Amino acid sequence: MKYTEEHEWLRPEGDVVVVGITEHATTQLGDIVFVELPDVGAEVAKDDEVVVIESVKAASDIMAPIDGEIIEVNTALAENPALANEDATGAGWFFKIKPSDPSQMDGLMDEAAYNAMIA
Amino acid sequence: MTDLFHTPLHQLHVALGAKMVPFAGYDMPVQYPMGVLQEHLHTRSKTGLFDVSHMGQVIVRGVDYQAAATALEGIIPVDILGLGVDRQRYGFFTNPEGGIRDDLMLANRGDHVFMVVNAGCKADDIAYMNASLSGVTVTEVTDRALLALQGPAAEAVLSTLDANAADMRFMDVATLSLAGAECWVSRSGYSGEDGYEISVPTAQAEVLAQALLAHADVEPIGLGARDSLRLEAGLCLYGHDINTDTTPVEGALSWAIQKVRRRGGDRAGGFPGADVILGELADGATRKRVGLLPEGRAPMREGVALFAQADDDDPVGAITSGGFGPTVGAPIAMGYLPVAHCANGTTVFGELRGKRLPLTVTSLPFIPANFKR
């Protein structure tokens, strides 16, 4: 698993990468009540705003962590945004992206570096 | 942050694990470990305890109640003289343009008026009363905390401390002995639920709070849930839904101005902005505060511009409060619209992240009020 400074996690599965936000992030955001996911098939670039999440407190944007094509989104999360709070790294995933440059993954933090950042 | 005021319950909030935020100059609990959503739902199903000690508690005294009430009717357009002993009523200070300087609760305590005003306005309110009223003394009560106990179990909980709590009706006021403290209690609140607001001497505030929290049905509730509860109840937040530029009629608060203060009444007018407000009461205002239900799940918050048609260039209004309503289970909002667009069922469009999304005008409150009349 890799992590970004924006509190996203990335889990490679074959030639795609599953993306969500960390438990640390969902705890900070509070109860999530709305998630707007990108369109399947969209070509996105790193730092594009791809997801909007709203907690009971405020709206936040989630950026694409790497370049690629969105190949699947978690429609269950859009129906039940609380999944992001309940199971941030499991059932609360956001989207799957097919990287156009897999080497971008190498620049991201590993778990130890991420844990040090949020400590 | 060191210049923030602390309420008498500050240490208790920290001990309970609250997340503290600055609000109106005070370091206040926005949520506890339960979280805003569960705190909201707990208040609706059981009972919540709120610390609202940041609000201003004020006593206005004249030679008698009538003298204080008469003076206050010169700056507040409600029937204060006709208020029964130990009864409370909602009101507001108006300005010469008919706008609202602050909204408040006031009670007839027999020989004086007891008033609760907004934290952010209290210094201005007291200075204003001192400058504009003659023959009365205006005293801020600084040696008391203010708690709110809100929810369907509130009566059962408070009755365990003083059985007289159960005899109070909505908007009754009484002095109760709670956990050894002489408390000034009103049956009222800001959640849409039955409940009480309790003025307690500072020295006994934490003991009383602990006694209430010891009850299995009571959880501490922060400002986050206080805001979502009052929004579902259709209640105004001063500085957002009403302010110096909104009149009571525009703000859908005409109900608070009794007949005796309107045209044809025995004590009609005689308050700042009376020409504007009494004219609007007779002829209607050009815009009104309404409830709004966004379609879909995306919350629309304060500041979102409202358009009559999806492709219009110019907005006709704006959202003044909005968010997710945990009990409604959907996004809810309040805002101002021209009266031509205020009928229930009218569709308007809010601009959210570059898209125009539909909202439906709806009656307030979003949830039925649960008061003990």
Side-chain angles (χ1 to χ4, degrees), chain B residues 321-334:
Chain B
S321 281
F324 183 76
T327 303
V328 174
I332 54 175
M334 298 195 293

Side-chain angles (χ1 to χ4, degrees), chain B residues 12 21 27 45 80 102 136 146 164 174 187 197 209 222 228 231 241-242 256 306 315 348 355 357 370 372:
Chain B
L12 178 62
V21 298
D27 195 33
S45 64
I80 307 174
D102 193 11
V136 301
L146 193 64
N164 294 320
R187 192 150 194 172
E197 292 171 296
S228 56
L231 177 56
D241 305 302
I242 50 174
L306 298 173
V348 295
K355 293 180 199 158
L357 302 173
N370 189 20
K372 186 179 175 185

Side-chain angles (χ1 to χ4, degrees), chain A residues 27-34 36 52 54-59 61 78-81, chain B residues 19 30-31 34-38 296-301 323-324 326 352-353 355 357:
Chain A
T27 302
Q28 293 296 312
L29 287 165
D31 302 296
I32 294 169
V33 296
F34 173 72
E36 186 174 85
V52 177
E54 297 242 11
S55 74
V56 285
K57 294 175 215 161
D61 295 317
E79 291 294 317
N80 179 15
Chain B
K19 181 177 174 188
V30 67
Q31 67 173 83
M34 182 182 256
V36 176
L37 200 66
Q38 292 305 320
R297 292 190 63 98
M300 293 198 204
R301 298 179 193 272
F324 183 76
L352 192 65
R353 296 182 277 271
K355 293 180 199 158
L357 302 173

Side-chain angles (χ1 to χ4, degrees), chain A residues 25-88:
Chain A
T26 61
T27 302
Q28 293 296 312
L29 287 165
D31 302 296
I32 294 169
V33 296
F34 173 72
V35 179
E36 186 174 85
L37 296 166
D39 294 330
V40 171
E43 293 281 348
V44 300
K46 186 176 186 301
D47 296 337
D48 282 356
E49 292 172 7
V50 286
V51 174
V52 177
I53 57 179
E54 297 242 11
S55 74
V56 285
K57 294 175 215 161
S60 318
D61 295 317
I62 304 296
M63 319 291 192
I66 53 176
D67 302 345
E69 180 189 353
I70 304 293
I71 61 155
E72 190 180 345
V73 298
N74 186 357
T75 52
L77 179 68
E79 291 294 317
N80 179 15
L83 287 175
N85 293 103
E86 292 161 8
D87 190 8

Side-chain angles (χ1 to χ4, degrees), chain B residues 264-279:
Chain B
D266 285 348
R267 300 193 307 284
F271 52 85
D275 288 354
V276 175
I277 293 167
L278 299 187

Side-chain angles (χ1 to χ4, degrees), chain B residues 108-148:
Chain B
N108 177 346
R109 294 312 319 270
D111 63 350
H112 67 272
V113 175
F114 177 65
M115 188 183 284
V116 176
V117 300
N118 284 298
C121 299
K122 64 183 176 185
D124 280 351
D125 290 344
I126 291 165
Y128 172 62
M129 283 190 278
N130 276 320
S132 35
L133 303 181
S134 54
V136 301
T137 57
V138 178
T139 311
E140 183 178 3
V141 178
T142 55
D143 57 356
R144 283 180 172 258
L146 193 64
L147 310 183

Side-chain angles (χ1 to χ4, degrees), chain B:
Chain B
M1 305 289 259
T2 51
D3 55 351
L4 290 175
F5 293 112
H6 287 185
T7 76
L9 297 183
H10 189 270
Q11 283 187 326
L12 178 62
H13 300 314
V14 173
L16 289 168
K19 181 177 174 188
M20 306 298 288
V21 298
F23 182 82
Y26 286 77
D27 195 33
M28 295 298 287
V30 67
Q31 67 173 83
Y32 297 86
M34 182 182 256
V36 176
L37 200 66
Q38 292 305 320
E39 289 174 27
H40 177 114
L41 297 172
H42 182 89
T43 304
R44 292 249 185 270
S45 64
K46 301 281 181 56
T47 284
L49 180 67
F50 304 72
D51 178 12
V52 289
S53 304
H54 57 310
M55 300 189 79
Q57 303 180 61
V58 182
I59 286 174
V60 181
R61 281 184 193 277
V63 292
D64 53 17
Y65 175 80
Q66 282 66 30
T70 302
L72 286 169
E73 285 198 358
I75 54 174
I76 299 172
V78 311
D79 179 10
I80 307 174
L81 272 167
L83 188 59
V85 175
D86 287 339
R87 290 288 293 164
Q88 179 177 259
R89 155 168 294 170
Y90 176 75
F92 25 76
F93 300 115
T94 51
N95 67 22
E97 293 74 42
I100 299 174
R101 293 179 63 110
D102 193 11
D103 65 340
L104 54 97
M105 289 297 230
L106 47 86
N108 177 346
R109 294 312 319 270
D111 63 350
H112 67 272
V113 175
F114 177 65
M115 188 183 284
V116 176
V117 300
N118 284 298
C121 299
K122 64 183 176 185
D124 280 351
D125 290 344
I126 291 165
Y128 172 62
M129 283 190 278
N130 276 320
S132 35
L133 303 181
S134 54
V136 301
T137 57
V138 178
T139 311
E140 183 178 3
V141 178
T142 55
D143 57 356
R144 283 180 172 258
L146 193 64
L147 310 183
L149 187 71
Q150 302 279 292
E155 178 183 292
V157 170
L158 204 63
S159 298
T160 63
L161 300 182
D162 186 332
N164 294 320
D167 297 333
M168 299 171 70
R169 290 174 303 133
F170 183 60
M171 290 293 202
D172 274 354
V173 183
T175 299
L176 301 183
S177 179
L178 303 173
E182 186 197 275
C183 297
W184 307 336
V185 180
S186 63
R187 192 150 194 172
S188 55
Y190 193 49
S191 65
E193 297 300 321
D194 183 23
Y196 302 87
E197 292 171 296
I198 306 165
S199 174
V200 53
T202 298
Q204 290 144 301
E206 186 167 338
V207 169
L208 175 59
Q210 295 277 22
L212 293 168
L213 290 170
H215 198 290
D217 284 343
V218 181
E219 293 288 342
I221 310 296
L223 292 180
R226 181 169 160 85
D227 192 53
S228 56
L229 286 160
R230 69 91 196 166
L231 177 56
E232 281 187 341
L235 298 169
C236 291
L237 176 60
Y238 188 77
H240 300 261
D241 305 302
I242 50 174
N243 57 42
T244 52
D245 294 324
T246 62
T247 70
V249 181
E250 291 175 331
L253 300 172
S254 301
W255 58 269
I257 304 174
Q258 287 78 21
K259 273 187 181 165
V260 70
R261 305 303 311 277
R262 301 186 183 195
R263 283 182 188 164
D266 285 348
R267 300 193 307 284
F271 52 85
D275 288 354
V276 175
I277 293 167
L278 299 187
E280 286 185 351
L281 279 169
D283 306 327
T286 58
R287 61 172 184 159
K288 215 178 95 183
R289 177 175 62 96
V290 294
L292 296 160
L293 285 171
E295 283 179 27
R297 292 190 63 98
M300 293 198 204
R301 298 179 193 272
E302 180 178 5
V304 167
L306 298 173
F307 297 83
Q309 301 295 331
D311 53 359
D312 279 358
D313 290 333
D314 298 317
V316 292
I319 288 176
T320 52
S321 281
F324 183 76
T327 303
V328 174
I332 54 175
M334 298 195 293
Y336 282 82
L337 285 172
V339 287
H341 301 280
C342 285
N344 287 345
T346 306
T347 299
V348 295
F349 296 84
E351 185 162 301
L352 192 65
R353 296 182 277 271
K355 293 180 199 158
R356 300 278 176 90
L357 302 173
L359 308 89
T360 305
V361 175
T362 185
S363 58
L364 294 169
F366 295 99
I367 50 108
N370 189 20
F371 303 138
K372 186 179 175 185
R373 302 274 182 188

